[in-house]
Amino acid sequence: MDKQTSILILGAGTFGLSTAYHLAKAGYTNVTVLEKSATFPPELSAGNDLNKILRAEYEDPFYAELALEAMAAWKSPLFAPYYHETGYLLCNSAAAPEKSKKSLQKSLASIRQRPEFKDKIIPVTSREDIRKVAPAFTGPMQWTGYFNRFAGYAHAADALTAVYSACIALGVTIHLNSAVRSLTYSGEVCTGALTTDGKHYQASTTVLALGASLGSILPEIKRQVIAKASPVAHIQLSPEEAAQLRGIPVTYARDLGFFFEPDHRTNLLKICPAMAGYTNYDTPSGLSLPPEDNAFIPAQDENMIRRLLRETLPALADRPLVGRRVCWCADTADSEYVIDFVPGKKGLVVVTGDSAHAFKMLPTVGGWVKEVLEKGQQDRGRWKWKEGNDAAAVDISWRVGKITDFKEVKEMRRDVELAKAKL
């Protein structure tokens, strides 16, 4: 592929920005990114978050290997300021279902014998084991699992912003507030995209990195990729409270949920409940897509968050939650990414299927996309377009619970100010 060829990337989230960065770093000089959001990081990007887990545990050793490569890249100059190796406490509560226990054991098996984890894995079989690695926790925590020293989290929004700045410095053109109405074609050749304000951006190659919104522009994806939402909430801590929890490991009870150390700037404690994901099929296309309003969480997930806090930090269990919202991802049936040319089209590539495990790949995923663009095909079978797959029809092995559509949820919870605004 000629280094002067025009490349248009739709979406400035994790996949889109990483792709732009790797192309520009390799010398491609005509790379343009269109992003719907008027602000950066993009409002709907899953990466627009306080933090994301960085770990190499996977049920599939293939992804464990890729995660280790990514974690090495997180220690490079561009990414290192945003990586915090606090460790990872991964367990199940006493009430965990068998499915959750099996998933944890598979994940541990993928790293246990690797040299990178020599002397890094500490079994957790008692409350005393947890006290040794996380003395700040005061709850009962009758959990079993392990503590992994070689893991932690990334400051997600900050890392995205750093890649954005790097792209600009490398000559990438990024247009915010540029929502795409449709792709444009000449026969079977994709020629670019038309924005909602009528601008036509032409390109030899168009890359769709639209996350959970992909189906709105490429309905041919059908249910191969399903937009799913996960609840997120926070507790506002005082500086003194935050100091007491500084340095705690990323803590994840597979059947309850997970949280991180408080954010250094805001003292917000981010908490996510364990669940299978929510869909939104109330759309004109009949595909699950994110709605305009995402500032809420289901009441049952707020209850799960409080249960997790009673187990770990009971003094916070009844504190008000703030920053409630749902975070959208694009799930595939097998949790595999899809990085491939769209069948029946020319010059059109899709990068999707983050399946809630892609942010850690921010430093590396764009290199995989560049490779596909340069080769003109996807050689990895597992990342090819999979016509006929139905991501809604399978039980994801590592997700706990049952997928629910939002129309079936009886009660939603919002922040007090937002709830008043809705009246």
Side-chain angles (χ1 to χ4, degrees), residues 13 19 44 77 99 120 130 145 152 155 161 248 289 305 311 321 359 365 386 393:
T19 299
L44 264 181
K99 176 185 179 183
K120 300 289 187 182
I130 294 175
H155 275 292
T161 302
I248 62 172
L289 293 169
I305 284 171
E311 287 270 328
L321 297 182
F359 188 82
V365 60
K386 301 181 184 73

Side-chain angles (χ1 to χ4, degrees), residues 178-199:
S178 297
V180 171
R181 175 185 298 160
S182 63
L183 300 174
T184 57
Y185 293 93
S186 175
E188 63 182 14
V189 178
C190 181
T191 57
L194 184 69
T195 59
T196 53
D197 60 2
K199 293 180 181 177

Side-chain angles (χ1 to χ4, degrees), residues 369-399:
V369 182
K370 181 177 78 74
E371 181 180 318
V372 169
L373 292 175
E374 291 175 339
K375 288 184 176 180
Q377 62 182 30
Q378 175 57 267
D379 292 333
R380 288 186 170 112
R382 61 170 67 213
W383 288 351
K384 287 190 174 184
W385 179 281
K386 301 181 184 73
E387 187 69 36
N389 270 20
D390 186 351
V394 297
D395 180 22
I396 305 297
S397 62
W398 56 272
R399 290 188 183 272

